[in-house]
Amino acid sequence: METNIISNMLNDEKTLLEEAKHEIKDAYLEDDRPWVVGYSGGKDSTVVCQLVFDSLKELDTKDLHKKVYIISSDTLVETPLIIQSINTTLHRIQTEALEIGLPIETHKVKPEPSESFWGNIIGKGYPSPNQQMRWCTDRMKIDPANKFVKDKVSKFGEVIMLLGVREDESATRANVIKSHSVEGKRMMKHSTLPNAYVFAPIKKFSLDDVWEYLLNHNSPWGDDNTELYKLYQDSSSGECPLVVDKTVKESAGSCGNSRFGCWTCTVVNEDKALNGFIENGEEWMRPLLEFRNWLAEIRDDRTRRMKYRMNGQIYFLEVQTEEFNGTLHAVIPKKGSRAKSVLPISEENFNIVEENNLSTYLKKNNVDLSAPGDDNILIIKNDGKYAQLGLGPFTMETRQEILRYLLETQRDLNHPTDPNFDLIQEEELRVIRKYWLEKGDWEDSLPTLYNEVMGADLDWDYNDQPLFDGDQITDLEILCEQNDIDFKLVKKLVSIEKDYSGYKVKRGIYDEIEKALTQDYLHL
């Protein structure tokens, strides 16, 4: 009886594999549209890549008529051991494909330095991602992959994307696949990219089918699939897919608990991935975990955040109130595992200001809403409810603090195989410096900070130097204060003019000046 069950399982697996390979061959031969295969380094995408590789090997050479691009996403903050493994695998795939004459090319897609994790956080001051503000996936994963696909669409007219998505991953994923499928058609229309289609050759595979295949079929390019199995076995984490579609972003979930995600992920409360690596002997990664935990901890620290948005917009966060022993208390929520704060509403605990008097209070007390610290202002709104000033980007001082800690971590990190491993790229540092100069860092602090930590200099472009030296900046600041003119506004206007200097036609400069002059915080 037991023998029959095992026999049936093997037959089922053989049928499933034969169907998948047959479908892959048919799909490859039926038209000239090139393929883009998403590879994340995880189990599902590995199955797809192996099946495609083996299926193409079985075709006649004369039928290998179109390109297959295997792409991986490098967010520049990938878990170090995983990106190292992905780099090795991509090289092996490319080498073996060239050796046996398969039309396969491997590529890594990366975010632009201006859209990278550090470009956004340290450069622009974005708060680190959380469940409500998960800005990272679009900028660091979806957009770079989509840019690659769009380039191929512009060259070939249409492309087909092969993804390792399976219906049994979750009910949400099954519904997404079903909603994009057309009865009798193997291709699904991409929801956001015109002229791009999605082919999911293992959508009927179960988790057991995936591991059954990987552990019983050798990697055609020489990887050891048992190592991949061990990686999953040692962790409760899952796979971080190559996300190429905004409609499946939510079903893909956060990769913060995944061995295949970013080491900086702050979307989850606890980073099980880094913890798992450390518990399994990778002690050298502990400084990364400590940095990640600190970055998550400071996210909602009011003393480290500006009190208006990047565009200068002021907004209020309503404060809940509760009555205890006849006294009204403000309930200040805390994010993550921290306890909420419940304080009596009194002059002792808050600077209580009526909404209509907020502008007067800020000017009278010389409150700089972009500076570090928190004046602990509790606003009585016109409707009688209580509120706090909403939080905007990290202050410039906090951005400098983050960069200093990051560089110190990079300097002291003992990577076992790559002594030159960088946590932040030179291109990102140059972009960050540009952002800082545009936002009024006229002291040009980044090269100095870098030298203090790293004991060396990069080849900085000193054409980007500020227009004024330290003494001139001080004089200008005093002049603005004497004439009750916002110094940050003056710096912004000078930066706008500097950006447009040298252009004969300064198209757009008046729009930029208008945005600067109409920022909310200037007109409270």
Side-chain angles (χ1 to χ4, degrees):
M1 182 71 173
E2 191 172 317
T3 304
N4 289 336
I5 293 173
I6 294 173
S7 175
N8 290 337
M9 285 177 63
L10 291 173
N11 288 334
D12 288 344
E13 186 216 352
K14 185 178 178 182
T15 302
L16 194 64
L17 288 178
E18 286 178 346
E19 285 180 1
K21 290 177 75 172
H22 180 73
E23 194 171 23
I24 288 170
K25 290 175 188 176
D26 275 358
Y28 182 85
L29 294 171
E30 71 183 6
D31 56 50
D32 294 324
R33 293 178 291 182
W35 284 6
V36 177
V37 184
Y39 174 67
S40 70
K43 61 187 187 312
D44 296 327
S45 61
T46 299
V47 171
V48 173
C49 287
Q50 282 196 199
L51 285 172
V52 169
F53 202 102
D54 283 337
S55 296
L56 294 187
K57 277 172 64 177
E58 294 173 11
L59 291 176
D60 195 295
T61 305
K62 64 180 174 59
D63 291 326
L64 300 175
H65 65 294
K66 65 183 182 183
K67 285 279 189 185
V68 174
Y69 302 96
I70 296 179
I71 67 170
S72 281
S73 174
D74 180 359
T75 61
L76 304 179
V77 283
E78 298 293 320
T79 303
L81 292 182
I82 295 303
I83 195 61
Q84 191 175 23
S85 172
I86 288 174
N87 290 341
T88 300
T89 295
L90 291 179
H91 176 71
R92 287 175 176 170
I93 292 173
Q94 187 66 84
T95 301
E96 184 64 18
L98 288 171
E99 184 74 25
I100 63 178
L102 296 184
I104 290 176
E105 286 185 17
T106 59
H107 296 267
K108 273 200 312 183
V109 295
K110 303 177 182 179
E112 294 294 327
S114 59
E115 295 300 333
S116 72
F117 192 80
W118 303 126
N120 279 297
I121 285 184
I122 300 176
K124 302 173 189 175
Y126 272 49
S128 47
N130 64 9
Q131 286 288 1
Q132 290 72 43
M133 188 185 178
R134 213 172 83 200
W135 52 262
C136 49
T137 307
D138 286 357
R139 288 170 170 79
M140 293 158 53
K141 293 179 79 79
I142 295 177
D143 291 345
N146 283 355
K147 182 177 183 297
F148 184 92
V149 174
K150 288 175 182 176
D151 287 344
K152 300 309 171 191
V153 167
S154 66
K155 182 176 180 181
F156 297 103
E158 291 184 342
V159 299
I160 296 171
M161 305 179 66
L162 277 73
L163 302 178
V165 293
R166 296 182 292 108
E167 291 176 344
D168 88 330
E169 285 180 272
S170 68
T172 305
R173 179 57 61 89
N175 288 334
V176 169
I177 293 173
K178 186 176 180 181
S179 68
H180 287 74
S181 300
V182 178
E183 188 68 33
K185 303 283 186 179
R186 67 165 61 97
M187 304 297 171
M188 300 177 279
K189 280 190 73 79
H190 195 287
S191 65
T192 55
L193 291 178
N195 299 325
Y197 297 83
V198 175
F199 174 28
I202 65 166
K203 66 181 179 181
K204 297 296 183 185
F205 278 45
S206 67
L207 180 61
D208 287 344
D209 294 327
V210 167
W211 287 120
E212 186 75 32
Y213 171 73
L214 288 175
L215 296 177
N216 289 285
H217 295 80
N218 292 331
S219 165
W221 49 81
D223 277 355
D224 184 354
N225 288 336
T226 58
E227 287 296 316
L228 182 64
Y229 182 69
K230 185 175 184 300
L231 194 63
Y232 279 90
Q233 200 174 37
D234 287 344
S235 169
S236 60
S237 61
E239 176 169 353
C240 186
L242 184 88
V243 185
V244 293
D245 191 333
K246 287 179 168 50
T247 63
V248 302
K249 180 174 77 171
E250 296 308 319
S251 69
S254 162
C255 298
N257 285 330
S258 167
R259 287 296 182 91
F260 302 87
C262 303
W263 70 267
T264 55
C265 185
T266 53
V267 175
V268 292
N269 287 333
E270 179 191 0
D271 193 317
K272 295 179 181 177
L274 283 177
N275 273 314
F277 274 122
I278 293 166
E279 288 170 5
N280 284 285
E282 304 293 344
E283 183 63 28
W284 66 273
M285 296 179 73
R286 187 172 296 280
L288 301 185
L289 178 62
E290 291 171 352
F291 181 95
R292 177 264 167 206
N293 290 344
W294 174 78
L295 188 62
E297 183 181 313
I298 69 168
R299 185 196 192 278
D300 297 305
D301 183 344
R302 293 185 62 84
T303 66
R304 286 182 162 95
R305 299 274 293 275
M306 296 164 65
K307 309 309 183 295
Y308 53 82
R309 291 191 169 112
M310 288 182 175
N311 61 3
Q313 180 190 10
I314 294 285
Y315 70 103
F316 295 148
L317 290 173
E318 187 172 323
V319 172
Q320 299 298 319
T321 58
E322 293 181 14
E323 191 168 320
F324 298 106
N325 300 322
T327 303
L328 198 61
H329 288 62
V331 181
I332 311 297
K334 301 290 184 183
K335 299 298 175 68
S337 58
R338 292 175 293 166
K340 64 184 179 182
S341 174
V342 182
L343 295 170
I345 297 177
S346 65
E347 297 289 349
E348 183 180 346
N349 293 318
F350 298 100
N351 293 313
I352 302 173
V353 183
E354 292 185 2
E355 183 177 350
N356 292 338
N357 295 331
L358 181 58
S359 178
T360 303
Y361 174 86
L362 295 176
K363 288 180 179 177
K364 180 181 177 181
N365 292 277
N366 199 26
V367 176
D368 183 353
L369 298 180
S370 69
D374 183 15
D375 278 65
N376 209 20
I377 298 170
L378 188 65
I379 301 159
I380 305 175
K381 295 174 64 181
N382 295 332
D383 60 6
K385 294 181 179 178
Y386 288 91
Q388 287 181 305
L389 285 168
L391 299 179
F394 283 127
T395 64
M396 182 59 72
E397 290 78 5
T398 298
R399 299 179 217 181
Q400 293 168 345
E401 181 185 11
I402 295 170
L403 178 58
R404 182 178 293 277
Y405 187 5
L406 179 66
L407 289 173
E408 289 171 347
T409 304
Q410 175 174 299
R411 179 195 64 197
D412 300 336
L413 196 68
N414 292 313
H415 194 296
T417 60
D418 186 357
N420 299 314
F421 183 77
D422 290 332
L423 299 178
I424 183 169
Q425 310 299 309
E426 279 191 28
E427 295 81 4
E428 294 176 282
L429 288 166
R430 298 184 196 285
V431 161
I432 290 167
R433 179 178 177 233
K434 179 174 180 290
Y435 280 134
W436 286 9
L437 288 169
E438 288 175 354
K439 292 299 180 182
D441 179 29
W442 285 356
E443 293 82 0
D444 196 16
S445 61
L446 197 149
T448 302
L449 189 158
Y450 184 88
N451 180 270
E452 288 174 356
V453 177
M454 305 302 290
D457 285 314
L458 296 178
D459 185 19
W460 302 109
D461 180 3
Y462 283 96
N463 288 330
D464 284 338
Q465 278 187 303
L467 298 175
F468 303 100
D469 62 28
D471 290 339
Q472 290 172 322
I473 294 170
T474 301
D475 291 341
L476 183 57
E477 188 171 6
I478 292 171
L479 188 63
C480 288
E481 189 175 336
Q482 289 173 345
N483 291 276
D484 197 23
I485 297 172
D486 187 82
F487 182 48
K488 298 188 298 300
L489 174 62
V490 172
K491 291 169 92 172
K492 176 70 174 174
L493 293 172
V494 171
S495 295
I496 291 171
E497 174 56 33
K498 183 172 182 283
D499 287 343
Y500 281 88
S501 65
Y503 290 96
K504 188 173 181 181
V505 178
K506 299 185 178 183
R507 186 175 292 110
I509 188 171
Y510 295 112
D511 290 339
E512 293 299 316
I513 291 174
E514 183 180 9
K515 287 178 187 176
L517 293 174
T518 55
Q519 295 176 92
D520 274 4
Y521 81 89
L522 296 170
H523 306 284
L524 282 171

